[in-house]
Amino acid sequence: MTDIKKIIINIRNDKFIFTITETDGTTAEHEYAIDKKMSIAANLREVFREQSYMKAAKTTKDGIPCIHAVLKVSTPVVLIPVEEEFDPESTYDITIKGYKYDEKLVKEISLLDAVAIYPLNKDLKMVVEDNCSEIEVENNIIPVWQTLYKNYFKGTQDRNLFVYFYNDVMNICYFEQHRFRYANSFSMQNTDNMLYYILYVWKQLGMNKDTDALSLCGEIPAGLHEKLSKFIEEVKECVL
């Protein structure tokens, strides 16, 4: 039986990050700048066709690629309580515009009694399927929510608002009674803009600036911690 080489494809706004595990167990990381004049799918097809670290994929005797691919995306997520019935396509398209023709993926987050729906570009999926024997798709924010809940959420007595910064997006979430009470994302423009949205959500949730905590993690913009500390007593940084 032929061993499968694993490739993790992390899609950012401006580049791909490939983490490749060779059949002997060694790993290597490669970056590829995205050409904005082409679609993401077209860019990825170019990588598979032109880059030596992708062309060296192990194949069967018939020339079929033996690659297990993990495609990591950062598309917007819609959360549904686990007990509710829903249609992924209509539920997502009503909530978030601009992804009507994308495939809608569903993942249960049992830890938080929620179901996540997120889109995947069909052309992008086709490129991966054309070049890999197995594919799984992950949304970058889901493991972050799980880690924040397990490692930093202490229960209903400890009110803590979390803000995760990644790929030019600011994700804000708040847990209460072992479930999501709030989860939303905002584009990262400048620190003043981010400060406004964080404080708006803080006020919307009825957080207390003297007793409640604000936790920042991920790619925290320079100077934002200091700005927030002028309005909230406990601003801390957490490691994922």
Side-chain angles (χ1 to χ4, degrees):
M1 181 176 179
T2 307
D3 292 332
I4 295 176
K5 180 164 63 176
K6 181 177 180 180
I7 300 180
I8 299 175
I9 307 170
N10 200 339
I11 304 174
R12 296 184 60 105
N13 287 340
D14 59 345
K15 62 184 175 183
F16 296 113
I17 302 176
F18 301 98
T19 304
I20 299 177
T21 302
E22 305 289 348
T23 51
D24 62 0
T26 59
T27 60
E29 187 170 287
H30 304 273
E31 293 187 0
Y32 182 89
I34 292 174
D35 184 348
K36 297 289 187 178
K37 291 179 288 187
M38 299 192 301
S39 69
I40 296 294
N43 272 271
L44 187 56
R45 193 174 292 281
E46 283 289 310
V47 176
F48 276 111
R49 183 167 53 236
E50 302 294 339
Q51 298 303 309
S52 59
Y53 52 84
M54 298 295 250
K55 291 165 68 175
K58 193 170 183 62
T59 61
T60 66
K61 293 179 181 179
D62 298 325
I64 300 172
C66 290
I67 310 172
H68 177 78
V70 180
L71 183 60
K72 304 185 75 171
V73 299
S74 296
T75 49
V77 177
V78 170
L79 291 166
I80 305 293
V82 71
E83 65 272 11
E84 288 191 11
E85 294 185 3
F86 63 92
D87 174 71
E89 292 287 340
S90 60
T91 300
Y92 193 93
D93 292 339
I94 289 171
T95 309
I96 298 180
K97 305 300 181 183
Y99 297 89
K100 181 178 180 180
Y101 300 106
D102 288 12
E103 180 178 339
K104 307 306 186 300
L105 305 181
V106 176
K107 181 177 179 61
E108 183 175 337
I109 312 175
S110 55
L111 182 68
L112 290 160
D113 290 330
V115 175
I117 313 171
Y118 54 95
L120 173 64
N121 181 277
K122 293 178 181 179
D123 291 337
L124 183 63
K125 181 183 178 184
M126 185 183 300
V127 171
V128 179
E129 289 179 333
D130 286 346
N131 291 276
C132 303
S133 55
E134 299 175 344
I135 176 176
E136 58 180 295
V137 183
E138 298 179 356
N139 194 293
N140 282 304
I141 193 59
I142 294 176
V144 172
W145 284 332
Q146 294 170 316
T147 299
L148 290 176
Y149 181 82
K150 288 190 290 186
N151 294 354
Y152 297 101
F153 177 64
K154 306 302 180 184
T156 56
Q157 301 305 312
D158 185 10
R159 305 194 72 201
N160 197 339
L161 184 65
F162 298 98
V163 187
Y164 171 66
F165 304 89
Y166 180 76
N167 199 28
D168 296 331
V169 174
M170 178 177 70
N171 293 274
I172 305 179
C173 65
Y174 174 71
F175 309 113
E176 192 173 272
Q177 296 180 341
H178 309 291
R179 303 186 76 160
F180 282 106
R181 181 181 170 188
Y182 182 91
N184 205 348
S185 60
F186 305 88
S187 297
M188 291 166 51
Q189 299 176 16
N190 55 64
T191 54
D192 287 339
N193 181 271
M194 288 180 268
L195 178 69
Y196 169 81
Y197 281 111
I198 293 171
L199 294 178
Y200 175 79
V201 174
W202 181 273
K203 182 179 179 181
Q204 187 179 38
L205 293 172
M207 306 287 282
N208 188 307
K209 66 181 182 66
D210 298 316
T211 59
D212 297 333
L214 175 66
S215 294
L216 311 177
C217 54
E219 301 166 352
I220 304 170
L224 183 60
H225 189 142
E226 291 74 15
K227 289 186 176 183
L228 287 163
S229 296
K230 296 177 181 179
F231 299 93
I232 298 171
E233 181 66 26
E234 186 177 3
V235 180
K236 52 189 179 182
E237 298 183 13
C238 53
V239 179
L240 298 176

